[in-house]
Amino acid sequence: MQRKIYLQMHSREEAQQLFWSRFAPHSTGEETIASRMALGRVTAGPVSARFSSPSFHSAAMDGLAVRAEDTFGATDETPVTLRFDFGEAVLINTGYPLPPEKNAVIMIENVLLSEDGKEGLIRAPVYPWQHVRKVGEDIVATELLFPTGHQLRPPDIGALITGGCATIRVRKRPKVVIIPTGSELVTLEDSPDAIPPGKTIESNAIVLAGLAAQAGVEVEITPIISDDFDSIKTHLAAVLATEADLVIINAGSSAGSADYTVRIIEQLGEVLVHGITIMPGKPTILGAIADKPVVGIPGYPVSAIIAMEQLVVPLLAHMQGVYVAPPVAIKAILAKDLPSRSGIEEFRRMIVGRIGANFVAVPLKQGAGAITTLTRANGILCIAAASEGEMHGREVTIELLVPQPQVERTLLCTGSHDLCLDVLGDYLRKQDPAYPLASTHVGSLGGIMALKQGMCHLAGSHLLDPKDGSYNTTYIRKHLAGRDIRIVTLVHREQGFIVAKGNPKNITGVRDLFGAGIRFINRQAGSGTRVLLDYELSRHDLDPDGIDGYQQDEYTHMAVAVAVLSGKVDVGLGIKSAARALGLDFVPLVEERYDLLIPGEMFDTPMMQAVLAVIDTPLFKQTVEGMGGYSTRETGHLVPLD
Amino acid sequence: MQRKIYLQMHSREEAQQLFWSRFAPHSTGEETIASRMALGRVTAGPVSARFSSPSFHSAAMDGLAVRAEDTFGATDETPVTLRFDFGEAVLINTGYPLPPEKNAVIMIENVLLSEDGKEGLIRAPVYPWQHVRKVGEDIVATELLFPTGHQLRPPDIGALITGGCATIRVRKRPKVVIIPTGSELVTLEDSPDAIPPGKTIESNAIVLAGLAAQAGVEVEITPIISDDFDSIKTHLAAVLATEADLVIINAGSSAGSADYTVRIIEQLGEVLVHGITIMPGKPTILGAIADKPVVGIPGYPVSAIIAMEQLVVPLLAHMQGVYVAPPVAIKAILAKDLPSRSGIEEFRRMIVGRIGANFVAVPLKQGAGAITTLTRANGILCIAAASEGEMHGREVTIELLVPQPQVERTLLCTGSHDLCLDVLGDYLRKQDPAYPLASTHVGSLGGIMALKQGMCHLAGSHLLDPKDGSYNTTYIRKHLAGRDIRIVTLVHREQGFIVAKGNPKNITGVRDLFGAGIRFINRQAGSGTRVLLDYELSRHDLDPDGIDGYQQDEYTHMAVAVAVLSGKVDVGLGIKSAARALGLDFVPLVEERYDLLIPGEMFDTPMMQAVLAVIDTPLFKQTVEGMGGYSTRETGHLVPLD
């Protein structure tokens, strides 16, 4: 294995500066196109009108076209009669040309027409050019319609057509070519039913292409190229010889043994930057070959997107010579500690919502591979390179990924995980697209703590008090004393052992977790499921240390089920619907109640009422029951706290 | 002429309510498309993953794949050697499958490889599953990827592909069909060189189509239909029989003799609303034919756009079942009084910029026909129906038409009008697309008043003091006493009489304005050109009342030139470049200095320095001189105030 350390890492600003200064703005040429097709395009030079608009004096109202001088002196006492057959007045519709010699229009509402329709009586004069749209009132031929570098919007196209500009000179759209590389890659189309062992479905190129398209450029994706130095080099050279204005190679940008990109760019041109002090996105390569930018983008999905957004999209705007507004940023209270390595600028995906007067930002997990964190995030926190992280409760600046009003309508749901929350979120969006439900999973007790700190709108919880068999109320009284908390039952659900199909290790109860060679996976401390396990162990007077895997935990029922499915473990404790979703077997242990905990001050808000309305529908209940392991017999019931 | 008064006007809210409640959300059906093509589309149902991701345990780092248990006990003092040939460790690249029986990866940086490459020495243990991306770590097969009604962004497409969803069920895009009607309409393509007399170029349909396309729907424009009841009715019925989900008829929505739309909708279906208390946009018709929405949109360009944005675009979102965020709104100080009729909700186009700590909003002219006000506006002020208008200096709410950062960079230029400002604006955008120059014309003295009230960044002025022949300084000392104002000369320019080609009325000097049958057009009070005229008249001891047209005025040189070109008047006073732009003749009177007046506190801002840098370029000066009637001998010079 050849190991090459980055020679010199650059900060994002340095890298941007080095890269952008190398390529002239709007260097990709110009073209003349039909104005009708020019929406979103950028003017290559100043655009002047060829025609005036209106091109003739026209009536601005329905009424009588007259000579203003003929109306002078008309009053209630001395009305003036204008005869149509003598041409003293002419009936005219809005927009029609003013007859020659006429210079004003009297609104039809102010005219008393005679029975025979041959004359009109008026009781007030008009002044010259009243109610007349004059030649050139809007556009004067030769006047500047748009300066250079203007990005055309729908009304602009209307002004172009009205001003007689059937065609327009615009800047050519840069063409971006994306080369997916990697011997492990297959297309989904080639493997529609299952992924071949050790292979990965290529998805980055289509994401990068979408980001480039949103930046207003043309995009092409080439076939996948294997990890072979010569193949990639030959392919890159061929692409550069075509109309490409910018080439992206994805991935092979790191310094592993199959990471050829940097050496290929070196051989064909110049590597400007290799290694940027950002996370994700560190192994990005910025290069130039024959005056064209060539970018090596890392392979992890989130790294790829961050590198694209931070380094390529702004360059595409620069190449087109347009100003791109920075994203909207808001101040928000951070819901969790976020340690960060000093010297690295870190981009963290967040879910943001408004709680009372404040925005609250909840970090999503940070893996560079976790594309679902980007599909779920509605904001990004950038932790400066100089910082060692941010503390929970501090005010941080979040760049929004969606419009701010949507953030204000985002429901932050946390606490325990249950698959019914997905159903709830789905029906909520069906009922009212304005309310996205964003759920993060921190366990029941974590949810109660989030409620305490004002970091969520609602929390799912199933915390058993072994003393009296009650759920949640004991914990609320203890941790949320004095707070008005409403408890709404979402479901009753079966908890039990999730095991492989056919239950090969023959797990029947909690004692079987102690069997020889039985590998278990636990849930995290503070989760209701962990509380349940510990209760069952103590009830049978069993020592947790005897379980292989008690110390290893996962944060969701599905993660436990996946651990079983993948053969990593033999058994875990979780809900029936998770086992069923993955085709695993399930050994029931108890039925428990799963509630939503809602602060009183939020109970009557429209967003919370929308949630409660969904829970109450027969459709929601039917869908939940259909998933297996659920009862909705008390769904929507308010549980008294005392 | 048949005159039909609107039976009942509706407020915008009433009209929206009546209209939208009639059509069910996402009623336009569903379709299955390739996920690769689904950018911007809306999910028709919940989407679940088919594959897990990763689909196998893989290395998260370049390094050695090991059994964690084999590394326990490794320390600096007791390093552990792992032999590759015995399979104790396997070299592995990031993303590659973990070999069977291995459960952790040691980063290559922490391994000392032997010379022969057959073994690696480690000085610290790893724990099980360290640096391993586990099966399903990002996506678990069966998990919910997106709820119903989710509009897909680029990372979402990546998640779909990664999750094995090659196709996706999405809502069909509604299809909007636009019917342009009007006997006066011609297409620009049919009349590329000149507009036939009395005809108007059709431009609304393409603007409405652009707005519909931005709302994410399919659009089709039919050929133009003449103002003939039966033709329009037959055509509309045919369009409704096709795949149209919504039909727009433009125009004929008013109540004039050729306004057939309302009667046609009545005959084929039902008119829900005719007449809405908004301005522009009042004559809008909302109807339903065979359960499809049919909208009659007024003919004036601005009316058409307002009606489309207020009534059709939100319905299209409703039909697609997506949430559309309202536009960003800011608070701004209103620069001018804006009286408004009570009972009418008025939409006024504004130019907004930031001056010091405040946003300032300058109204543009309000004609319903003035499409150029929409191409220039960056904000809209909505004056409530109950209001009788807004006073200058008051704080008002402006909905932004461009991103807020662009508003913050908009340069508000006012005062006297000169064509060089267009050149300046053009070169400024060429140099830095971030700075749009927005100029409005209120005359030199109006500009000085705007400076006094803090309503502009800079003002153009050419106010002559007849006593000493100086420009601007006398007026600044009088009206801006105590203020730090910098005076930068933009150009010297020729003022004179703009006359028809060949000077048919033989105007040679100011005395000729008094000739029999000579029609003059004046500039508004407070303009430098008006000051110049009055000075010339008083110098020759002439009485303005003897001039036919002295009381009629225009606000710009170009408007004066257009009045001459259209034959409305014989002569006006203005700058040579305006005469030249329209191919008119010019009789020089004086050369005058035209300065930019800049508050001292803005002089050193980046945006103002960008302006001054442009003025100083040879290219700017060459272009200005090339327009005729200009000298740049002192362009960019700072004029001392004392």
Side-chain angles (χ1 to χ4, degrees):
Chain A
M1 171 180 289
Q2 183 197 333
R3 182 80 206 168
K4 184 175 162 177
I5 302 300
Y6 306 108
L7 290 177
Q8 188 195 354
M9 297 270 278
H10 290 85
S11 74
R12 180 170 53 93
E13 288 83 357
E14 288 166 358
Q16 288 170 339
Q17 184 55 35
L18 264 169
F19 195 36
W20 300 347
S21 63
R22 180 65 179 257
F23 307 102
H26 39 95
S27 50
T28 47
E30 304 174 358
E31 60 185 334
T32 299
I33 62 170
S35 296
R36 288 179 186 280
M37 308 303 291
L39 194 59
R41 301 298 295 268
V42 179
T43 55
V47 182
S48 298
R50 294 175 60 237
F51 299 163
S52 293
S53 173
S55 61
F56 51 87
H57 299 319
S58 66
M61 296 278 183
D62 297 338
L64 295 187
V66 297
R67 264 175 29 102
E69 294 76 0
D70 295 342
T71 70
F72 291 172
T75 66
D76 272 342
E77 287 72 39
T78 59
V80 169
T81 297
L82 298 167
R83 298 203 44 177
F84 302 160
D85 46 3
F86 290 2
E88 288 172 345
V90 180
L91 282 164
I92 192 167
N93 280 326
T94 304
Y96 280 57
L98 207 64
E101 307 305 322
K102 299 290 185 271
N103 67 357
V105 172
I106 306 174
M107 284 171 68
I108 194 71
E109 286 89 338
N110 298 335
V111 178
L112 187 68
L113 291 177
S114 64
E115 288 284 323
D116 62 2
K118 287 188 175 168
E119 55 186 43
L121 188 82
I122 60 166
R123 296 174 181 279
V126 283
Y127 53 82
W129 306 103
Q130 194 171 6
H131 302 318
V132 174
R133 290 192 71 215
K134 288 172 286 184
V135 167
E137 191 174 280
D138 188 19
I139 296 174
V140 178
T142 77
E143 82 167 79
L144 180 77
L145 290 176
F146 303 104
T148 306
H150 180 80
Q151 194 157 22
L152 296 161
R153 304 160 297 171
D156 300 340
I157 307 295
L160 284 174
I161 302 283
T162 304
C165 305
T167 62
I168 183 167
R169 195 96 184 128
V170 293
R171 291 184 183 148
K172 266 195 190 159
R173 297 181 137 140
K175 180 165 179 189
V176 172
V177 178
I178 300 171
I179 306 176
T181 71
S183 303
E184 80 285 10
L185 294 182
V186 291
T187 67
L188 178 56
E189 288 71 12
D190 287 342
S191 308
D193 297 317
I195 308 172
K199 295 290 182 180
T200 297
I201 295 175
E202 200 304 297
S203 65
N204 280 345
I206 185 80
V207 175
L208 298 176
L211 293 170
Q214 285 187 341
V217 304
E218 309 222 351
V219 200
E220 186 186 310
I221 302 174
T222 78
I224 296 167
I225 308 297
S226 293
D227 284 325
D228 174 77
F229 188 91
D230 292 326
S231 302
I232 300 174
K233 184 174 167 185
T234 306
H235 185 64
L236 174 60
V239 164
L240 282 163
T242 68
E243 284 188 1
D245 295 302
L246 184 150
V247 179
I248 291 172
I249 305 172
N250 178 247
S253 69
S254 187
S257 61
D259 294 331
Y260 301 127
T261 307
V262 76
R263 280 161 52 213
I264 291 170
I265 298 177
E266 253 167 19
Q267 287 192 9
L268 294 174
E270 185 183 353
V271 171
L272 303 169
V273 171
H274 186 204
I276 302 175
T277 55
I278 58 174
M279 191 170 94
K282 186 176 78 171
T284 302
I285 303 165
L286 306 177
I289 301 176
D291 284 331
K292 288 179 179 177
V294 178
V295 183
I297 291 226
Y300 278 133
V302 181
S303 309
I305 290 170
I306 298 283
M308 183 75 183
E309 288 179 340
Q310 293 298 322
L311 296 151
V312 179
V313 169
L315 178 65
L316 293 174
H318 174 73
M319 287 169 80
Q320 293 175 90
V322 291
Y323 170 71
V324 174
V328 172
I330 55 158
K331 299 284 179 192
I333 308 297
L334 188 59
K336 282 186 203 165
D337 288 346
L338 280 185
S340 176
R341 223 171 84 204
S342 178
I344 293 280
E345 187 180 30
E346 197 178 344
F347 296 89
R348 285 297 300 260
R349 283 86 71 199
M350 316 292 282
I351 289 193
V352 189
R354 182 193 276 281
I355 295 182
N358 293 320
F359 286 105
V360 167
V362 183
L364 292 163
K365 64 180 176 183
Q366 64 179 325
I371 193 166
T372 52
T373 61
L374 262 170
T375 64
R376 296 174 58 211
N378 60 10
I380 296 269
L381 168 63
C382 175
I383 305 176
S387 165
E388 296 194 342
E390 300 284 357
M391 300 282 286
H392 88 273
R394 281 207 20 202
E395 191 178 77
V396 293
T397 299
I398 307 285
E399 292 189 350
L400 298 185
L401 298 171
V402 302
Q404 182 171 330
Q406 196 170 324
V407 170
E408 305 206 2
R409 288 155 172 273
T410 297
L411 267 151
L412 299 181
C413 176
T414 191
S416 170
H417 168 245
D418 190 275
L419 297 181
C420 296
L421 294 176
D422 287 345
V423 179
L424 175 56
D426 183 52
Y427 283 121
L428 188 61
R429 284 292 282 272
K430 254 186 205 134
Q431 178 186 276
D432 189 337
Y435 295 120
L437 181 76
S439 54
T440 50
H441 312 308
V442 296
S444 296
L445 205 58
I448 286 180
M449 290 305 146
L451 283 171
K452 186 171 185 170
Q453 294 164 359
M455 297 300 185
C456 67
H457 293 104
L458 73 171
S461 183
H462 58 115
L463 286 166
L464 171 69
D465 181 352
K467 290 202 193 76
D468 58 7
S470 71
Y471 282 95
N472 300 320
T473 44
T474 306
Y475 296 80
I476 292 172
R477 277 194 292 266
K478 180 173 173 194
H479 297 289
L480 297 168
R483 286 283 299 277
D484 172 14
I485 300 290
R486 315 285 170 89
I487 308 171
V488 177
T489 295
L490 187 65
V491 284
H492 284 74
R493 62 183 194 176
E494 286 181 49
Q495 284 266 25
F497 296 109
I498 298 174
V499 295
K501 191 87 191 162
N503 195 1
K505 298 294 170 85
N506 199 27
I507 306 290
T508 59
V510 70
R511 288 181 193 282
D512 295 327
L513 302 183
F514 295 82
I518 299 295
R519 293 162 305 154
F520 178 73
I521 185 99
N522 208 345
R523 287 289 307 281
Q524 85 279 15
S527 66
T529 304
R530 175 83 162 239
V531 170
L532 172 65
L533 175 69
D534 290 347
Y535 169 65
E536 290 292 324
L537 292 173
S538 75
R539 199 160 69 89
H540 294 89
D541 216 10
L542 295 165
D543 178 4
D545 286 350
I547 301 176
D548 176 9
Y550 181 86
Q551 301 301 337
Q552 283 206 47
D553 53 34
E554 287 287 359
Y555 272 71
T556 67
H557 297 284
M558 282 303 271
V560 168
V562 166
V564 174
L565 182 69
S566 71
K568 185 181 151 187
V569 301
D570 301 305
V571 57
L573 189 58
I575 54 178
K576 183 174 182 179
S577 56
R580 196 166 149 166
L582 295 191
L584 298 169
D585 272 5
F586 180 78
V587 182
L589 184 64
V590 297
E591 190 194 49
E592 63 176 12
R593 204 180 73 217
Y594 180 97
D595 295 331
L596 298 179
L597 315 185
I598 304 168
E601 66 273 19
M602 288 172 196
F603 198 79
D604 292 320
T605 58
M607 58 161 61
M608 201 61 75
Q609 287 300 310
V611 168
L612 297 173
V614 166
I615 291 174
D616 227 30
T617 58
L619 195 57
F620 173 75
K621 292 175 188 173
Q622 279 162 27
T623 308
V624 165
E625 299 255 4
M627 291 163 71
Y630 290 107
S631 159
T632 57
R633 62 183 184 272
E634 291 177 15
T635 292
H637 289 203
L638 211 55
V639 178
L641 189 49
D642 295 281
Chain B
M1 171 179 294
Q2 180 195 335
R3 183 75 207 171
K4 182 175 165 179
I5 302 300
Y6 305 106
L7 290 177
Q8 187 194 358
M9 298 269 277
H10 290 86
S11 74
R12 180 170 53 92
E13 288 84 356
E14 288 165 358
Q16 288 170 339
Q17 184 54 34
L18 264 169
F19 196 36
W20 300 348
S21 61
R22 180 65 179 255
F23 306 103
H26 39 98
S27 50
T28 46
E30 304 175 359
E31 60 186 333
T32 300
I33 62 170
S35 296
R36 290 180 183 279
M37 308 303 290
L39 194 60
R41 300 299 293 269
V42 179
T43 54
V47 182
S48 299
R50 295 176 59 238
F51 299 162
S52 294
S53 173
S55 59
F56 51 88
H57 299 319
S58 67
M61 295 277 182
D62 297 337
L64 294 188
V66 296
R67 264 177 25 102
E69 294 75 2
D70 295 343
T71 70
F72 291 172
T75 66
D76 272 343
E77 288 73 37
T78 60
V80 169
T81 298
L82 298 166
R83 298 203 43 178
F84 303 162
D85 45 4
F86 289 4
E88 288 172 346
V90 180
L91 282 165
I92 193 167
N93 280 325
T94 305
Y96 280 57
L98 207 63
E101 307 305 321
K102 299 290 186 271
N103 67 357
V105 172
I106 307 174
M107 283 172 68
I108 193 71
E109 287 88 338
N110 297 334
V111 178
L112 188 67
L113 291 176
S114 65
E115 288 285 321
D116 62 2
K118 288 188 175 165
E119 54 186 44
L121 188 81
I122 58 165
R123 297 174 181 277
V126 284
Y127 52 82
W129 307 104
Q130 194 171 6
H131 301 319
V132 174
R133 292 190 71 215
K134 288 171 285 184
V135 167
E137 190 173 280
D138 189 19
I139 296 174
V140 178
T142 77
E143 82 167 77
L144 180 77
L145 290 176
F146 303 105
T148 307
H150 180 80
Q151 194 156 23
L152 297 161
R153 303 160 299 170
D156 300 340
I157 307 296
L160 284 175
I161 302 282
T162 304
C165 305
T167 61
I168 183 167
R169 194 96 184 130
V170 293
R171 291 183 182 149
K172 265 195 191 161
R173 297 181 136 141
K175 181 166 177 185
V176 172
V177 177
I178 300 170
I179 306 176
T181 71
S183 303
E184 79 285 10
L185 294 183
V186 292
T187 66
L188 178 56
E189 288 70 13
D190 287 342
S191 309
D193 297 319
I195 307 172
K199 295 290 182 182
T200 297
I201 295 175
E202 200 303 297
S203 65
N204 280 346
I206 184 79
V207 175
L208 298 176
L211 293 170
Q214 285 186 342
V217 304
E218 309 223 353
V219 199
E220 187 187 308
I221 301 174
T222 78
I224 296 167
I225 308 297
S226 293
D227 283 324
D228 174 80
F229 188 90
D230 292 325
S231 304
I232 299 174
K233 185 175 168 184
T234 307
H235 185 64
L236 174 60
V239 164
L240 282 164
T242 69
E243 286 189 359
D245 295 302
L246 184 150
V247 179
I248 291 171
I249 305 172
N250 178 246
S253 70
S254 188
S257 61
D259 294 331
Y260 301 127
T261 308
V262 77
R263 279 162 52 214
I264 291 170
I265 298 177
E266 254 166 18
Q267 288 192 8
L268 294 175
E270 184 183 355
V271 172
L272 303 169
V273 171
H274 186 202
I276 302 175
T277 56
I278 57 174
M279 190 169 92
K282 187 176 76 170
T284 302
I285 303 165
L286 306 177
I289 301 176
D291 284 329
K292 288 180 179 176
V294 178
V295 184
I297 291 228
Y300 277 133
V302 182
S303 308
I305 291 170
I306 298 282
M308 183 76 183
E309 288 179 340
Q310 294 297 323
L311 296 151
V312 180
V313 169
L315 178 66
L316 293 174
H318 175 72
M319 288 168 79
Q320 293 175 88
V322 292
Y323 170 70
V324 174
V328 173
I330 55 159
K331 299 283 180 191
I333 308 297
L334 188 59
K336 280 185 203 167
D337 288 346
L338 280 185
S340 175
R341 222 171 85 203
S342 179
I344 293 281
E345 186 179 30
E346 196 177 347
F347 296 89
R348 285 297 301 260
R349 284 85 70 198
M350 315 292 283
I351 289 192
V352 189
R354 182 192 276 281
I355 296 182
N358 294 320
F359 286 105
V360 167
V362 183
L364 292 163
K365 65 180 176 183
Q366 65 178 325
I371 193 166
T372 53
T373 62
L374 261 171
T375 64
R376 296 173 59 210
N378 61 9
I380 296 269
L381 169 62
C382 175
I383 305 176
S387 166
E388 294 194 342
E390 299 284 357
M391 300 282 286
H392 89 274
R394 283 212 10 208
E395 191 179 77
V396 292
T397 300
I398 307 285
E399 292 189 350
L400 298 185
L401 298 171
V402 302
Q404 183 171 329
Q406 194 170 324
V407 170
E408 305 207 0
R409 288 156 172 272
T410 297
L411 267 151
L412 299 181
C413 176
T414 190
S416 170
H417 168 246
D418 190 274
L419 297 181
C420 296
L421 294 176
D422 287 345
V423 179
L424 175 56
D426 183 52
Y427 282 122
L428 187 61
R429 285 291 282 272
K430 256 187 203 132
Q431 179 187 275
D432 189 337
Y435 295 120
L437 182 76
S439 53
T440 49
H441 311 307
V442 297
S444 296
L445 205 58
I448 285 178
M449 290 305 148
L451 282 171
K452 186 171 183 170
Q453 295 164 357
M455 298 297 186
C456 67
H457 293 104
L458 73 170
S461 182
H462 58 115
L463 286 166
L464 170 69
D465 181 352
K467 290 202 193 77
D468 58 8
S470 71
Y471 282 94
N472 299 321
T473 45
T474 306
Y475 295 79
I476 292 171
R477 278 194 291 266
K478 180 173 173 193
H479 298 287
L480 296 168
R483 285 282 298 277
D484 171 14
I485 300 290
R486 316 287 169 87
I487 309 171
V488 177
T489 294
L490 187 65
V491 285
H492 284 75
R493 63 182 196 178
E494 285 182 49
Q495 284 265 27
F497 296 108
I498 298 173
V499 295
K501 191 84 191 163
N503 194 2
K505 297 294 169 85
N506 199 28
I507 306 291
T508 60
V510 70
R511 288 181 193 282
D512 296 328
L513 302 184
F514 294 81
I518 300 294
R519 293 161 305 155
F520 177 73
I521 184 96
N522 208 346
R523 286 291 307 281
Q524 85 278 19
S527 66
T529 303
R530 175 84 162 240
V531 170
L532 173 65
L533 174 70
D534 290 347
Y535 169 65
E536 290 292 324
L537 291 173
S538 76
R539 199 161 70 89
H540 294 89
D541 217 9
L542 295 166
D543 178 3
D545 286 349
I547 302 176
D548 177 8
Y550 181 86
Q551 300 301 339
Q552 283 206 45
D553 52 35
E554 287 286 359
Y555 271 70
T556 67
H557 297 284
M558 282 304 271
V560 167
V562 167
V564 173
L565 183 69
S566 71
K568 183 180 151 188
V569 301
D570 301 307
V571 57
L573 189 57
I575 54 177
K576 183 173 182 180
S577 56
R580 199 167 145 169
L582 296 191
L584 299 168
D585 272 5
F586 181 79
V587 182
L589 184 64
V590 296
E591 189 194 49
E592 64 176 11
R593 204 180 73 220
Y594 180 97
D595 295 331
L596 298 180
L597 315 185
I598 304 168
E601 66 272 19
M602 288 173 197
F603 199 78
D604 292 319
T605 58
M607 59 161 57
M608 200 62 76
Q609 287 299 311
V611 168
L612 297 173
V614 165
I615 291 174
D616 227 29
T617 58
L619 196 57
F620 173 76
K621 292 174 187 171
Q622 280 163 27
T623 307
V624 166
E625 299 255 1
M627 291 163 72
Y630 290 108
S631 160
T632 58
R633 63 183 183 273
E634 290 177 16
T635 292
H637 289 202
L638 210 56
V639 179
L641 189 49
D642 295 280

